[in-house]
Amino acid sequence: MNSFAIREIFANNLRFFRKSHNPPFTQEKLSELVGKNQNYIGLIEKGKSSPPLEMIALIAEKLEIEPSLLLEEKASLDNLKSFNKEDLITELSSKIVANLQSSITNEIRNALK
């Protein structure tokens, strides 16, 4: 993967997580939080600037995410837009209930032996 692709992935992920934050951050607000001028985040999101590692860590901290999410190709804007938290919660809840039912059944069987 070349540096342009990484920069584009980072820019898309930054934009997505900034807008997805609750409440959403403007570029200006995020720039203030990381101690930079208001154009700083805009330049990164346009792919015209790349932040140093320390700044990536600080941006991630302010966005309340792991820094690695800003660099993951699978965490691209298009992929994350289609991610449905409710579906994931439903799926995980079903798995938890099934596991609990199985564990309880096994415990009852063992207790009755």
Side-chain angles (χ1 to χ4, degrees), residues 84-108:
N84 187 326
K85 291 179 187 175
E86 294 302 319
D87 288 346
L88 179 61
I89 290 168
T90 301
E91 180 183 338
L92 291 175
S93 296
S94 296
K95 288 180 181 180
I96 290 169
V97 168
N99 286 337
L100 282 173
Q101 286 173 335
S102 176
S103 294
I104 291 169
T105 300
N106 288 336
E107 288 297 321
I108 291 171

Side-chain angles (χ1 to χ4, degrees), residues 72-84:
E72 289 184 16
E73 188 170 15
K74 67 181 180 182
S76 70
L77 184 58
D78 293 334
N79 290 341
L80 288 172
K81 277 186 175 177
S82 66
F83 179 74
N84 187 326

Side-chain angles (χ1 to χ4, degrees), residues 23-87:
F25 288 146
T26 61
Q27 289 179 350
E28 181 179 5
K29 178 63 177 173
L30 185 56
S31 293
E32 288 172 13
L33 290 172
V34 298
K36 295 293 183 177
N37 69 44
Q38 66 183 36
N39 295 321
Y40 184 76
I41 299 298
L43 290 171
I44 295 170
E45 287 185 2
K46 290 177 186 172
K48 295 183 178 180
S49 179
S50 296
L53 292 175
E54 293 81 7
M55 183 55 63
I56 292 172
L58 181 58
I59 289 170
E61 177 185 319
K62 299 304 179 186
L63 293 173
E64 301 174 17
I65 61 171
E66 291 298 318
S68 61
L69 286 175
L70 292 168
L71 298 168
E72 289 184 16
E73 188 170 15
K74 67 181 180 182
S76 70
L77 184 58
D78 293 334
N79 290 341
L80 288 172
K81 277 186 175 177
S82 66
F83 179 74
N84 187 326
K85 291 179 187 175
E86 294 302 319
D87 288 346

